[in-house]
Amino acid sequence: MTSFKRQSILAAAASAFALLAASHAFAGEGNDRSAFGCSNLEDISELQMIEGKDGMFYRILADMRLQHAFTPEVIDRMAEMAKALEAKGTTLIYVPVPTKSQVLPQYAPQRAELYGFDPSIARAVYDDVVERLNKKGVRTIDIASPMRDNPENQFGELAFFKSDFHWTAQGANAAAEAVGEKIKSLPEYGDVTPVKFKREDGPVSSEFSSMRKLLQQHCISSVPQVKAHTYVVSRDDDAPADGDAGSGLDIFGNEDTGGIALIGTSYSDKTISNFAGLLQYWSGLPVENYSISGGNQFGSILSYITSREFQEQRPRFLIWENPIYNNLGQYGDGPWYEIIAASRGECDQEIKLRPGEANSFHADLSNVSFAPGDVLLADAGDGGNRKATFAFTGSDGEVRTRSISRDDRLRATGRYFASTAGMPKGALNGLDLTFDTNAGSDTTLHICKTNLGEQS
């Protein structure tokens, strides 16, 4: 996409959001305009929604907006992550999940234009993200196109639930097929011996939806349930594997060969859509699912990539599913220093720690030389701690503090990667390291290498 075209799209998106305030007078949908007697959906403070055609409901902020932040800086960080993983034998596959409106724009109401929604621009924005990532060497899969091409199954169920924002098994299957076919086309696929999985029709299943619950509180009639047919995927022990069984690596044998690790959000975590199982079926590789519902953009990847499990047995493929509307630049460089340092895994230089009060340690940094981009790895073991505070003391006596926390949804890996960026060069005298709980005498501190500080 040309710079001019991209600027045009962003300008249109900015103009669209300028209409939000102006369109507020039209926000209340009266009972005569709703198939379910819904009213004031666009005024709900918790989640503003809009009713479309045939019982389809959209979120206004996530589904109707046209601008999804994906800055050049974020793409550079992802490219660095991909290179670091590849150097250690893991191929990153990024899977941006499109919004419901990008896949099913035909069900959007005409009043969506009041919010500036334009299907062609929505599609172009998604395509632009995929194109820019691939150009930077980040293998990124367009799953929006196959989901649009296969929007409905034989039961009339669409790629997304009508009263929820998640995909159905129909949508997840279309996405998994695109990802699986891409993986099979990569040279790296020759490093493993695929096995056969079978996919069978499962029962109709229903699931609780906070969006539907909130929606129903503003509607007289019952809105569509979050209910659909499912797929069951299992290993097919009676079928021969594709290709030459005598070549490659046996991913079910004694060798630690990896396979696929899936990190992501509730889209990958929900059993009703079974994205992980469908990835197994279409790729012919076993999938370990580390996705976290409610973990937002970084919860799953930080939980997995900072763990000893990842460092000790890296997967051959790392699939990162993330909704297109999740802003990977929202928290600055902090998460990226952790992700890239853990991806590289070059943490060889140890700094001696001296135990202090409970869960506290001191390190003398006066003779330690830090390079640009260096990151400190504090490893407190598997004690269940969720917070580490790094208090750096400079030669000027000033204390600069950085804290890293893992909330309750994330895994308590006990490992924290703190960047030294922004610290006075060659002027750090000491570090006071404190954990919230359960840090024993085996706690260690290492310097990890990245090249982020070398970038201009």
Side-chain angles (χ1 to χ4, degrees), residues 177-254:
E177 181 179 4
V179 176
E181 291 303 314
K182 177 63 177 179
I183 289 177
K184 287 180 178 179
S185 73
L186 297 175
E188 296 89 332
Y189 195 72
D191 294 343
V192 297
T193 300
V195 296
K196 284 286 187 180
F197 289 89
K198 57 184 177 181
R199 184 192 66 182
E200 301 172 298
D201 290 338
V204 175
S205 182
S206 60
E207 187 168 278
F208 171 79
S209 165
S210 57
M211 175 175 164
R212 182 183 183 275
K213 179 182 178 181
L214 183 62
L215 183 63
Q216 191 61 70
Q217 294 172 359
H218 294 79
C219 302
I220 297 174
S221 303
S222 179
V223 298
Q225 296 185 25
V226 179
K227 186 177 183 179
H229 287 77
T230 58
Y231 286 118
V232 177
V233 177
S234 59
R235 187 181 176 188
D236 189 352
D237 293 320
D238 297 328
D242 290 334
D244 182 6
S247 63
L249 300 175
D250 179 9
I251 52 181
F252 283 100
N254 294 323

Side-chain angles (χ1 to χ4, degrees), residues 267-282:
Y267 286 88
S268 296
D269 193 34
K270 287 186 175 294
T271 56
I272 194 171
S273 52
N274 195 15
F275 182 55
L278 291 164
L279 281 174
Q280 292 187 132
Y281 174 72
W282 288 108

Side-chain angles (χ1 to χ4, degrees), residues 280-325:
Q280 292 187 132
Y281 174 72
W282 288 108
S283 69
L285 298 177
V287 174
E288 292 290 336
N289 192 356
Y290 299 94
S291 301
I292 298 177
S293 292
N296 296 319
Q297 59 268 67
F298 291 117
S300 176
I301 188 170
L302 286 174
S303 292
Y304 176 57
I305 211 165
T306 65
S307 69
R308 286 175 204 80
E309 178 182 0
F310 168 76
Q311 294 297 335
E312 293 170 1
Q313 186 175 342
R314 296 188 177 216
R316 188 61 193 88
F317 297 97
L318 179 62
I319 297 177
W320 186 4
E321 165 270 305
N322 216 357
I324 190 73
Y325 50 79

